[in-house]
Amino acid sequence: DGMGNLRVTKKGIRLEGISEFLLPLYVKEIHSRKDSPLVLQSDRNVTVNARNHMGQLTGQLTVGADAVEAQCKRFEVRASEDGRVLFSADEDEITIGAEKLKVTGTEGAVFGHSVETPHIRAEPSQDLRLESPTRSLIMEAPRGVQVSAAAGDFKATCRKELHLQSTEGEIFLNAEKIRLGNLPSASFSSSSPSSSNSRQTVYELCVCPNGKLYLSPAGLGSTCQSSSSICLWS
């Protein structure tokens, strides 16, 4: 029924303990015992090759000391329960089929080119921040880009200019209160002595030819013309 650690059974050949083969071993299936794992060990690396009927290499999996490499037309990782594809990669695209992709690195995810997604959402109780430290941040969509904060604030900050541009439509600001903070205030001397003693509380919003806004003390008539010298410094 065999010799030493090798025994011949009805199901095939059974090896007990550690076995070493000096020449190639051709088998259809390799199984471990029910109560122990299957270990393939090598002093250099372990390579699993798949070939077609002509002997050409069609797939290869190499487990080395520095990396695990897979060479094939399509690489897939499936769920053990329903066989759903969790991760797949080929020459054209990489698909992640899991319900959530979580990146735990401190620097987040880095993309060298564009990112296409229908929805960007932060974790619960966390802020969503889109930032480009050294270059520009561009969001484009053929049917529009919608940014909403259902239960909080929306804040856009930049170091230099913030441009809101609509080439064929309009810019519509709809809010209970619209405030323009830190607008420059122009000085205006009124001929009425009573108005100079009272505290100025009402201002007129003026626009320079280049579009700059500034405040001018309100009077009986428009005071933008009298205070237009501020446009020279814009």
Side-chain angles (χ1 to χ4, degrees):
D1 59 354
M3 56 183 179
N5 296 335
L6 187 146
R7 297 180 59 188
V8 179
T9 64
K10 294 181 180 181
K11 296 182 179 181
I13 298 177
R14 180 171 181 174
L15 297 175
E16 298 288 347
I18 300 176
S19 302
E20 182 178 355
F21 296 89
L22 300 180
L23 296 177
L25 174 65
Y26 297 93
V27 295
K28 184 178 180 180
E29 295 181 1
I30 299 177
H31 295 275
S32 65
R33 295 177 55 180
K34 295 182 179 180
D35 57 349
S36 62
L38 176 64
V39 179
L40 302 177
Q41 184 173 340
S42 173
D43 293 339
R44 293 188 178 181
N45 57 53
V46 177
T47 303
V48 180
N49 294 330
R51 301 181 182 274
N52 56 15
H53 64 282
M54 300 178 60
Q56 298 174 345
L57 184 64
T58 58
Q60 184 180 79
L61 178 64
T62 302
V63 180
D66 299 330
V68 177
E69 297 181 0
Q71 298 182 9
C72 54
K73 293 183 178 180
R74 182 178 178 85
F75 179 78
E76 293 184 354
V77 178
R78 295 182 175 269
S80 58
E81 297 180 356
D82 53 0
R84 180 168 48 94
V85 178
L86 301 179
F87 178 86
S88 65
D90 55 24
E91 294 182 357
D92 298 329
E93 65 179 5
I94 295 177
T95 303
I96 299 177
E99 295 181 357
K100 181 184 295 185
L101 173 62
K102 193 170 185 180
V103 180
T104 59
T106 57
E107 297 296 331
V110 179
F111 299 93
H113 298 282
S114 62
V115 178
E116 297 181 7
T117 176
H119 191 193
I120 299 178
R121 182 180 61 185
E123 288 286 340
S125 302
Q126 298 291 331
D127 295 334
L128 176 62
R129 185 174 183 180
L130 303 178
E131 182 181 2
S132 178
T134 58
R135 299 300 296 272
S136 301
L137 178 63
I138 300 175
M139 293 187 295
E140 296 179 345
R143 294 189 177 182
V145 177
Q146 180 180 359
V147 180
S148 63
D153 300 332
F154 171 73
K155 184 178 182 181
T157 59
C158 61
R159 184 177 180 181
K160 294 183 178 180
E161 292 83 7
L162 175 63
H163 296 272
L164 299 178
Q165 182 180 2
S166 177
T167 56
E168 298 182 0
E170 63 179 2
I171 298 176
F172 180 62
L173 301 178
N174 183 13
E176 181 180 356
K177 296 180 181 179
I178 298 178
R179 297 182 179 181
L180 302 177
N182 298 327
L183 288 181
S185 179
S187 61
F188 173 70
S189 60
S190 176
S191 58
S192 176
S194 59
S195 61
S196 60
N197 297 329
S198 61
R199 182 180 179 184
Q200 185 70 35
T201 58
V202 180
Y203 290 85
E204 183 179 0
L205 182 62
C206 306
V207 184
C208 295
N210 61 355
K212 181 179 180 180
L213 301 178
Y214 67 95
L215 298 178
S216 179
L220 297 178
S222 176
T223 60
C224 290
Q225 295 291 339
S226 302
S227 306
S228 60
S229 59
I230 195 172
C231 294
L232 301 177
W233 304 97
S234 58

